[in-house]
Amino acid sequence: MPPIDQTADRARAMLDAFGRANVMAAECPSRALLQHLTSRWGVLVMAALATGTHRFAQLRRRIGGVSERMLAQTLQQLERDGFVHRHDHGEVPPRVDYALTPLGQQAAGHIVSLVGWLEDSLPAILEAQAAGATASPDRSARASA
Amino acid sequence: MPPIDQTADRARAMLDAFGRANVMAAECPSRALLQHLTSRWGVLVMAALATGTHRFAQLRRRIGGVSERMLAQTLQQLERDGFVHRHDHGEVPPRVDYALTPLGQQAAGHIVSLVGWLEDSLPAILEAQAAGATASPDRSARASA
DNA sequence: CTTCATACTAACATTCATGTGGGTACTTAC
DNA sequence: GTAAGTACCCACATGAATGTTAGTATGAAG
């Protein structure tokens, strides 16, 4: 094997830094965006908002396990990225609505399809895990040899 | 507003814990799976493997910024979950191939569509961010009032 | 009058994720 | 002989992520 492989990989990363976005390149802005969308709470917020406008407390109840701090932080992040729109009614007691922007709706579409697939396939996945677990006794093969 | 809203939210989470998977429920197994798939390196590994079988070092070069430790850890996680298949040729020097399982291919499909959309939409997203940043001078509205 | 709810922020504590450096057993290239 | 490549693991250290608690101004419900 010539070093062509390695060189090609590096060249590809370089090229993409220019004209086209590439999440595989660490410095590409798309990498950060992806991480926000796929962050622990980011995915769930996007999925929740995909079903329509929500208020803060409503999201908090909907998404099991989020703390106020994390929800607020995640929403701000997604707002900065342009995926979520925040509408403050300026009333008191506070009333704020969160909704997806057009871009957010597109992103959310892909996210819900992943999440939906996961939920639908859970049984199959758990089966596969169980089957795989019993069929992999070669974990210590190297140590014993 | 009656407390029906809150009760309904809780009831929904409870219900889903039984028959149907729901990522919104913190204890649902699907939540953990989702986090593995959408983890910092998990998404990228899945996306990389979606283009075919790779060797360890090949993945490491492809995915900008991964350390060996994280790549190994991520691959093991995905293998345990049943999304990735590891084939050790048992040769020396070591030679190990990583590929997606059928389930992994399905999951990867959704992931690449998200990633692909992100890469294609990056310009539009950056524009939206810039536009939104200039149009939101009401950050200190509450403090000044 | 007390409590709860709203939508947060700030400070502090902690846990988890991640990076770093070193090591293994062996082969190939220089 | 020396350096590099392979596919990792282990111990240690650090930083980022997350949780916890307290607090704000106000209205509605009990």
Side-chain angles (χ1 to χ4, degrees):
Chain A
M1 292 179 196
I4 295 175
D5 175 50
Q6 183 176 348
T7 308
D9 281 349
R10 205 157 299 176
R12 194 181 311 143
M14 288 297 157
L15 268 174
D16 293 321
F18 292 78
R20 190 149 277 275
N22 180 8
V23 287
M24 294 303 172
E27 345 73 46
C28 182
S30 63
R31 175 73 74 90
L33 272 307
L34 181 63
Q35 296 203 10
H36 297 166
L37 285 176
T38 62
S39 70
R40 180 167 185 190
W41 305 115
V43 212
L44 299 176
V45 166
M46 293 297 287
L49 289 181
T51 69
T53 298
H54 283 67
R55 293 184 58 178
F56 186 87
Q58 214 173 356
L59 280 173
R60 178 147 157 62
R61 282 190 296 268
R62 181 104 192 265
I63 302 173
V66 228
S67 62
E68 293 192 353
R69 182 173 169 1
M70 277 302 106
L71 181 56
Q73 205 166 106
T74 302
L75 283 168
Q76 287 168 6
Q77 182 89 80
L78 294 173
E79 193 194 352
R80 260 178 266 134
D81 289 343
F83 297 129
V84 165
H85 176 69
R86 175 191 138 104
H87 180 51
D88 188 338
H89 293 234
E91 300 172 4
V92 65
R95 177 185 177 82
V96 181
D97 288 335
Y98 289 95
L100 292 176
T101 62
L103 276 174
Q105 288 175 23
Q106 293 182 34
H110 299 288
I111 290 174
V112 292
S113 79
L114 172 63
V115 170
W117 172 82
L118 222 195
E119 293 179 337
D120 290 342
S121 311
L122 222 196
I125 296 172
L126 295 180
E127 279 178 40
Q129 280 181 19
T134 56
S136 61
D138 44 37
R139 184 54 64 103
S140 53
R142 206 182 291 271
S144 61
Chain B
M1 292 179 194
I4 295 174
D5 175 49
Q6 182 177 349
T7 309
D9 281 348
R10 205 156 299 176
R12 193 181 313 142
M14 288 298 156
L15 268 174
D16 293 321
F18 293 79
R20 190 151 276 276
N22 180 7
V23 286
M24 294 302 173
E27 346 72 47
C28 182
S30 63
R31 174 74 73 91
L33 273 306
L34 181 64
Q35 298 204 7
H36 298 166
L37 285 177
T38 63
S39 69
R40 180 168 185 189
W41 304 115
V43 211
L44 300 176
V45 166
M46 293 297 287
L49 289 181
T51 70
T53 299
H54 284 67
R55 292 184 60 177
F56 186 87
Q58 214 173 356
L59 280 172
R60 179 147 157 60
R61 282 190 294 267
R62 180 104 191 264
I63 302 173
V66 228
S67 61
E68 293 191 354
R69 183 175 170 359
M70 279 302 106
L71 181 56
Q73 204 167 107
T74 303
L75 284 168
Q76 287 169 6
Q77 181 90 78
L78 294 174
E79 193 194 352
R80 260 178 266 134
D81 289 343
F83 297 128
V84 166
H85 176 70
R86 178 190 135 105
H87 179 52
D88 188 339
H89 294 235
E91 301 172 2
V92 65
R95 178 186 176 80
V96 180
D97 287 335
Y98 289 94
L100 292 176
T101 62
L103 276 173
Q105 287 176 23
Q106 293 183 34
H110 298 287
I111 290 174
V112 292
S113 80
L114 171 64
V115 169
W117 171 83
L118 221 195
E119 292 180 336
D120 291 343
S121 312
L122 220 198
I125 295 172
L126 295 180
E127 280 180 39
Q129 280 181 17
T134 56
S136 61
D138 45 34
R139 185 53 65 101
S140 53
R142 208 182 288 273
S144 60

